Amino acid sequence: MMDFSQFHHVLRRLSDKEIAKIERNIMRRIGTIFLKEVRNYLKKNGLVSGRNSPTLQSFTRGKKGNIWRFDFDRNSITLELGSRYFVARLLNDGYEIKEAHFVPGRFEGGRFVYDPTGKHTKSGEGIWMKPRTFIGKQYIDMTIEGFKGGVKGLIDELLHKELQKVVR
């Protein structure tokens, strides 16, 4: 067991490079945990269909549509996470259909598949979208609220783990 004076001595020996590595590891871990929690929330609440949903995949680091920007400078650390996939924003924020319009496509296995070549016919090669409002699910906010102890608590926990690696 290490006492506080030994711990303080170890911290003073860390180079700026080692501290920067610890900070990057913590931010990377926070980002990974956050994206995983967003995916879990989307699945748990039935907002996506299947593991290969483009919306779900866009919240996986390195997958199509994912946003993962890490910026580290002397005064701040920024990790921007998210999705470039437009449906993700619509699910989170909600949207409104202002005017009725035809959407070409067909139903396959109980699921509507958009087909731009479809025609509005009696055989039903498309659907009419009526004006209405869809309330957003605010899953990003709900995911943030779901962190036990908040983001600060998560940072404290991860910092403790990173420092334990260095101290050993």
Side-chain angles (χ1 to χ4, degrees), residues 63-130:
K63 297 288 185 173
K64 182 179 179 180
N66 178 244
I67 296 172
W68 182 284
R69 290 188 195 106
F70 183 73
D71 185 24
F72 178 73
D73 66 28
R74 199 170 139 240
N75 297 319
S76 67
I77 302 172
T78 305
L79 178 60
E80 180 182 350
L81 303 170
S83 171
R84 286 187 181 92
Y85 192 59
F86 77 97
V87 173
R89 191 183 104 240
L90 298 176
L91 284 172
N92 189 65
D93 300 341
Y95 60 97
E96 180 180 2
I97 298 174
K98 294 182 181 184
E99 295 181 22
H101 62 279
F102 178 74
V103 179
R106 64 193 171 287
F107 283 93
E108 291 180 0
R111 197 174 158 171
F112 185 75
V113 178
Y114 174 72
D115 179 2
T117 64
K119 307 279 188 260
H120 178 59
T121 65
K122 289 183 181 179
S123 65
E125 292 187 37
I127 58 172
W128 273 98
M129 298 300 293
K130 296 179 181 179

Side-chain angles (χ1 to χ4, degrees), residues 147-162:
F147 278 116
K148 183 178 171 186
V151 175
K152 183 187 179 308
L154 179 60
I155 291 171
D156 289 345
E157 177 185 330
L158 294 172
L159 178 59
H160 178 72
K161 287 180 181 178
E162 286 295 321

Side-chain angles (χ1 to χ4, degrees), residues 28-43:
R28 186 177 298 119
R29 188 73 184 119
I30 288 171
T32 301
I33 290 169
F34 182 75
L35 291 176
K36 180 181 178 187
E37 290 302 314
V38 167
R39 290 191 309 270
N40 288 342
Y41 188 89
L42 290 169
K43 288 187 282 190

